[in-house]
Amino acid sequence: MRPYYVTTAITYPNAAPHLGHVYEYIATDAIARFKRLEGFDVRFLTGTDEHGLKMAEAAAAEGVSTAELARRNSDVFQRLQERLNISFDRFIRTTDPDHHEASKAIWQRMADAGDIYLDTYSGWYSVRDERFFVESETRVLDDGTRVATETGAPLIWTEEQTYFFRLSAYTDKLLAHYEANPDFIGPEVRRNEVVSFVSGGLRDLSISRTSFDWGIPVPDHPDHVMYVWVDALTNYLTGVGYPDTDSELFRRYWPADLHMIGKDIIRFHAVYWPAFLMSAGIELPRRIFAHGFLLNRGEKMSKSVGNVIDPVSLVERFGVDQVRYFLLREVPFGQDGSYSDEAIITRINTDLANELGNLAQRSLSMVAKNFDGIVPAPGEFSADDAELLAIADGLLEQVRAHFDGQAMHLALEAIWLMLGAANKYFSAQQPWVLRKSESESDQIRFRTVLYVTCEVLRIAALLIQPVLPESAAKLLDLLGQPADQRTFAAVGTRLAPGTVLPPPAAVFPRYQTP
């Protein structure tokens, strides 16, 4: 089995999870599940970034220890992922002992390469973004507050002795890597942003702090803690056994195939991270993909505006698979997208209940009623049958290409276009009329139409598994498919006539507004 290593960004657990976190988890999970169904040996890493000034300040505001806040809130994030059916292999926390070892090891490698030196830093710092800004990247509001122009976060003036990383030495090496590996950063709009930023020249990066102590101590200099991003980015290495580069885990899974992140942290992942790895003599990840933001009716979600959507209540209201489907179908992945109650209800009732659920219910009920729940043997396929089967047979190749390009919305669109064609076919063939006919040829036709409909439903059910795992499993149960016939290798093996089906049941009920 070929290995495939995929990661989400690790989240700051300084506040409750929001829909943006859920969006990234579900998208990455769908990719991990897709690769498993293709026969890959997948390792899927996610977790929380428990260090940094932001966490220390949040804990102080609550009157609890930072370690207690980190543990409590990380538990909330992990439980949410489990509730969303996220199939991670490890939920890492940057307070994990093996992560401390990995972070110290990469620091030492960068120091040994001559890329770390001690100096004094003075400049503007955003606690919210855990990021430094130069004067030209800031502006002053009417009330005198200085904020980051890009993010709007308030800034504090910081002066302290810190270690620096010689990021400036990696400008040309990074640009050469981007040019030699055009797929390293996606989508293209983000790649162009990064290339433009690096082309302007890079300044050395402050990578330690002495003004607080919640973090990983710098080797041999415990009065310094590592800048949170040095520690955070290293989690991707910790997740595969670093610093033991001879371990089976590391040799098998590194370099990572895909880092899935939000567009707001592209600079850390596509500039700082590859530079750190180059310095440490470690192979670079193969691809970094930055998705867009999820908005509430076109507005960015924020606690101050009061439009933050609680993911747990959303799942309780609509269902896990319904939320998973909506988020990946509604938004062109990589762009910003918008959530509204009306939009999710439309997707549930139109796509899931009508197009898929209703077709399954009608066809499987006919098999149950007329053939004692046994898949009928088809006659010779007509041009209409062959056309629909050809569309379904061609889906796996299309869906694979879309998933490999992180375009899950296009993969789902292709499947639902086939289901639309299947619904038209079912209506045009009028099996309910054929059933009543006494003609032998009509009876053969009746069996054939039901067989073809069940077969294309089987292919659809196989292909929607990464996005709708629970619902797809129920549909495959209803189609009498054994556990060993549920990977993508089974797509090309036709539904066997004579397969005994269980009593039909609704898979996707319509959503009724309470």
Side-chain angles (χ1 to χ4, degrees):
M1 288 169 81
R2 282 171 56 199
Y4 187 86
Y5 181 33
V6 62
T7 67
T8 69
I10 52 173
T11 312
Y12 284 123
N14 63 313
H18 57 69
L19 206 55
H21 299 126
V22 167
Y23 186 43
E24 184 172 305
Y25 298 154
I26 289 170
T28 314
D29 181 64
I31 291 167
R33 287 175 180 274
F34 189 92
K35 287 293 181 183
R36 288 192 199 103
L37 287 162
E38 280 225 281
F40 282 78
D41 170 21
V42 171
R43 182 161 180 82
F44 174 15
L45 183 74
T46 186
T48 48
D49 179 3
E50 297 186 334
H51 292 135
L53 187 53
K54 192 192 294 195
M55 286 294 292
E57 289 190 353
E62 279 199 40
V64 297
S65 74
T66 315
E68 184 185 334
L69 178 82
R71 186 170 56 251
R72 186 191 74 202
N73 285 7
S74 287
D75 287 348
V76 172
F77 277 85
Q78 185 165 345
R79 283 198 301 272
L80 174 66
Q81 291 213 24
E82 288 160 356
R83 179 84 175 83
L84 293 166
N85 220 343
I86 306 301
S87 60
F88 58 82
D89 293 291
R90 178 175 176 183
F91 188 97
I92 195 169
R93 304 178 186 211
T94 53
T95 50
D96 290 346
D98 63 339
H99 179 67
H100 278 241
E101 295 311 307
S103 300
K104 288 174 184 172
I106 195 170
W107 181 286
Q108 196 59 56
R109 279 200 178 200
M110 295 191 295
D112 292 345
D115 285 331
I116 293 177
Y117 63 92
L118 191 64
D119 205 342
T120 301
Y121 176 81
S122 59
W124 296 103
Y125 189 73
S126 159
V127 176
R128 192 172 84 195
D129 300 320
E130 294 285 11
R131 179 173 157 191
F132 300 98
F133 291 89
V134 294
E135 193 95 13
S136 61
E137 296 173 318
T138 73
R139 60 191 173 91
V140 180
L141 302 180
D142 294 340
D143 64 2
T145 307
R146 188 175 292 271
V147 298
T149 306
E150 183 187 332
T151 67
L155 300 171
I156 51 172
W157 182 259
T158 303
E159 288 189 35
E160 59 184 299
Q161 190 185 56
T162 76
Y163 281 95
F164 281 77
F165 174 75
R166 294 186 201 279
L167 188 62
S168 58
Y170 287 88
T171 304
D172 292 341
K173 291 174 187 169
L174 287 168
L175 290 171
H177 186 77
Y178 304 149
E179 190 171 346
N181 301 275
D183 291 333
F184 179 61
I185 304 166
E188 193 172 351
V189 62
R190 302 290 159 238
R191 180 181 186 278
N192 294 341
E193 267 176 28
V194 170
V195 170
S196 172
F197 172 72
V198 175
S199 297
L202 296 170
R203 293 183 305 278
D204 289 353
L205 181 70
S206 169
I207 57 165
S208 76
R209 305 298 302 273
T210 53
S211 53
F212 63 96
D213 61 3
W214 178 247
I216 297 177
V218 168
D220 304 321
H221 300 275
D223 51 325
H224 288 253
V225 294
M226 293 181 196
Y227 173 44
V228 65
W229 279 101
V230 175
D231 144 27
L233 291 161
T234 303
N235 95 88
Y236 304 131
L237 291 172
T238 310
V240 288
Y242 186 82
D244 185 359
T245 53
D246 292 326
S247 69
E248 189 182 339
L249 200 61
F250 189 86
R251 290 207 319 268
R252 180 147 187 78
Y253 292 108
W254 192 263
D257 292 275
L258 176 65
H259 289 325
M260 182 71 81
I261 61 167
K263 67 178 183 180
D264 53 331
I265 53 173
I266 186 71
R267 195 177 293 181
F268 303 104
H269 283 78
V271 182
Y272 302 169
W273 181 225
F276 294 163
L277 291 169
M278 286 174 178
S279 173
I282 300 168
E283 210 174 336
L284 272 55
R286 294 194 174 96
R287 183 163 167 85
I288 299 160
F289 190 91
H291 59 78
F293 292 141
L294 211 53
L295 312 172
N296 186 347
R297 297 178 182 277
E299 281 189 34
K300 193 168 181 189
M301 295 184 215
S302 77
K303 280 176 274 192
S304 56
V305 177
N307 64 349
V308 174
I309 296 164
D310 172 32
V312 175
S313 59
L314 198 69
V315 163
E316 285 172 354
R317 184 176 167 197
F318 295 113
V320 172
D321 276 3
Q322 286 85 342
V323 170
R324 288 174 64 107
Y325 175 79
F326 170 77
L327 292 177
L328 295 188
R329 177 70 182 87
E330 185 75 7
V331 183
F333 201 72
Q335 299 177 24
D336 289 349
S338 205
Y339 169 86
S340 72
D341 283 0
E342 295 83 358
I344 191 170
I345 290 167
T346 299
R347 286 286 178 199
I348 290 169
N349 289 343
T350 304
D351 295 11
L352 299 178
N354 285 3
E355 295 265 276
L356 178 54
N358 193 38
L359 182 65
Q361 182 80 358
R362 289 169 76 194
S363 54
L364 292 172
S365 294
M366 283 188 182
V367 173
K369 193 172 178 183
N370 298 283
F371 300 101
D372 296 324
I374 294 170
V375 174
E380 193 174 330
F381 292 139
S382 69
D384 289 340
D385 304 333
E387 184 183 3
L388 181 59
L389 289 167
I391 296 170
D393 290 341
L395 273 179
L396 175 57
E397 194 176 335
Q398 284 182 63
V399 169
R400 179 189 293 124
H402 292 317
F403 262 84
D404 284 347
Q406 292 79 53
M408 285 70 78
H409 61 293
L410 294 179
L412 291 169
E413 182 180 56
I415 296 166
W416 257 261
L417 282 171
M418 186 280 284
L419 288 169
N423 275 283
K424 287 194 184 99
Y425 164 88
F426 195 78
S427 297
Q429 300 300 321
Q430 298 185 303
W432 55 91
V433 174
L434 294 170
R435 182 180 69 82
K436 294 173 183 170
S437 171
E438 294 181 4
S439 148
E440 177 59 25
S441 62
D442 281 350
Q443 287 303 310
I444 293 170
R445 190 78 207 118
F446 177 48
R447 294 199 298 272
T448 307
V449 169
L450 286 182
Y451 176 85
V452 168
T453 305
C454 289
E455 169 60 357
V456 299
L457 280 169
R458 182 191 70 87
I459 292 172
L462 288 171
L463 295 179
I464 63 173
Q465 288 179 101
V467 177
L468 297 141
E470 287 182 10
S471 307
K474 284 180 194 166
L475 188 48
L476 289 165
D477 287 345
L478 293 173
L479 288 161
Q481 297 306 291
D484 62 356
Q485 288 294 304
R486 297 192 179 192
T487 69
F488 292 157
V491 168
T493 305
R494 289 275 182 244
L495 178 60
T499 299
V500 179
L501 307 183
V507 178
F508 289 110
R510 285 181 65 78
Y511 180 80
Q512 306 287 346
T513 306

